[in-house]
Amino acid sequence: MTLSKQPVLLVHGGAWAIPYDAVDAHQHGVRKAAEAGWRVLEQGGTALDAVEEAIAVMEDDDTFDAGRGSFLNEDGKVQLDALIMEGSTLQAGGVGCVERLRNPIRAARKVLNDSPHIYFVGEGAERFAEEHGIALCANEDLILERELVRWKDAKKQKFLTVPPEFAGPPMDSHDTVGAVALDAHGNISAGTSTGGTLNKAAGRIGDSSLIGCGCYADNLSAAVSTTGWGEPMMKLVLSKWAADRVEMGEAPQQVAQAAIDRLQSRLKGHGGIILLDSQGRIGLAHNTPRMAWAWRRPGENADGVQSPRG
Ligand code: GLY
């Protein structure tokens, strides 16, 4: 098989008011994730594998709101959502509201590979994962003392995920990880994984694991992953909206900025987005104080916690 394309990998580790004392950990975490995904691509592996590996590294890293270390929901539990999608076949796999999986992205990948369905939630998703060789853990294994303190503080402040005036959660209450990749075969993939918003209602699913909202991939348009306050992104079906604009001929960076402008102007939403097309062109934008990101291309590594575009 001809390997014709130069691979590209772009990851994000959340767009929010990343506190100053957590900046280094975020930057280190996205760098490690990019390295893991890049190893796959360098060896001629698929974009799908690279996305899965990069995201699993961030789920395993306590820094991020994904896997262990995620924000707690109103019941004081970690409840996780993830989606992975492949751009040549449009195959996708997602899990929602899972409480006993360390790496929801690996369960999502099993759904993509081994199921005629696309999406599993809750206990059924956990059963599917276990039947496909993924060990379950206790929910307590995913909970950090840091998050218990944060959650108790939020409860004391009568913090609500969506206040009555629908102003949305504050910018220090969500984080999410994601990755997009182009492999040497010319295929693109995307994945997104999250613990959702702090103190969210039990059973609430955000944008991250819904096709076209927090994640999308089609070789004909773009691979997209979003992060931020999920409800406005769901209303705008933001990832698909962005992918469609790339398909219509706009450059990914222009589209990334347009998507965030639309999120802000239409619904006062906040968050960030990464995009990659099958020509290897990338886009990244956010309207939050910080966004952790890293990319790799042959001969080029970059990472940061502010938009590289200024
Ligand atoms: N974007 C993550 C969430 O709202 O659940």
Side-chain angles (χ1 to χ4, degrees), residues 166-242:
F166 295 104
M171 286 201 199
D172 61 355
S173 72
H174 51 71
D175 201 355
T176 285
V177 306
V180 292
L182 165 67
D183 62 33
H185 310 278
N187 295 319
I188 53 176
S189 292
T192 307
S193 180
T194 191
T197 49
L198 174 59
N199 203 36
K200 66 185 179 181
R204 175 263 189 193
I205 288 180
D207 61 311
S208 303
S209 63
L210 300 183
I211 289 187
C213 297
C215 184
Y216 195 72
D218 183 345
N219 280 4
L220 299 183
S221 53
V224 187
S225 175
T226 65
T227 167
W229 174 25
E231 278 75 7
M233 293 185 182
M234 292 156 79
K235 290 174 188 167
L236 295 171
V237 198
L238 199 67
S239 291
K240 182 68 165 76
W241 182 87

Side-chain angles (χ1 to χ4, degrees), residues 18 24 30 40-41 48 73 80 90 112 123 135 157 160 164 192 220 241 250 280 283:
I18 300 172
D24 283 351
V30 290
V40 174
L41 294 173
L48 195 62
N73 72 5
L80 304 168
L90 302 188
L112 181 152
E123 195 272 331
Q157 294 173 34
L160 294 170
T192 307
L220 299 183
W241 182 87
E250 285 184 49

Side-chain angles (χ1 to χ4, degrees), residues 15-122:
W16 60 302
I18 300 172
Y20 185 71
D21 62 4
V23 162
D24 283 351
H26 276 74
Q27 199 156 353
H28 179 70
V30 290
R31 207 178 290 148
K32 266 185 8 196
E35 276 163 18
W38 188 247
R39 271 195 295 279
V40 174
L41 294 173
E42 264 187 330
Q43 291 162 12
T46 64
L48 195 62
D49 283 342
V51 162
E52 181 183 346
E53 291 312 311
I55 290 179
V57 166
M58 291 186 279
E59 289 176 337
D60 287 339
D61 186 329
D62 289 354
T63 304
F64 301 106
D65 180 34
R68 190 178 130 88
S70 289
F71 294 137
L72 305 186
N73 72 5
E74 65 179 357
D75 292 343
K77 285 184 164 184
V78 164
Q79 212 170 55
L80 304 168
D81 312 326
L83 183 87
I84 192 162
M85 186 163 183
E86 203 277 323
S88 67
T89 58
L90 302 188
Q91 279 181 295
V95 294
C97 292
V98 292
E99 298 181 353
R100 296 186 296 160
L101 291 172
R102 286 183 183 278
N103 293 111
I105 198 69
R106 298 215 188 276
R109 177 65 190 273
K110 291 283 184 195
V111 174
L112 181 152
N113 278 5
D114 298 340
S115 172
H117 308 304
I118 291 177
Y119 204 89
F120 286 75
V121 294

Side-chain angles (χ1 to χ4, degrees), residues 3-20:
L3 302 182
S4 54
K5 292 276 179 177
Q6 297 272 37
V8 182
L9 178 78
L10 173 59
V11 308
H12 71 76
W16 60 302
I18 300 172
Y20 185 71

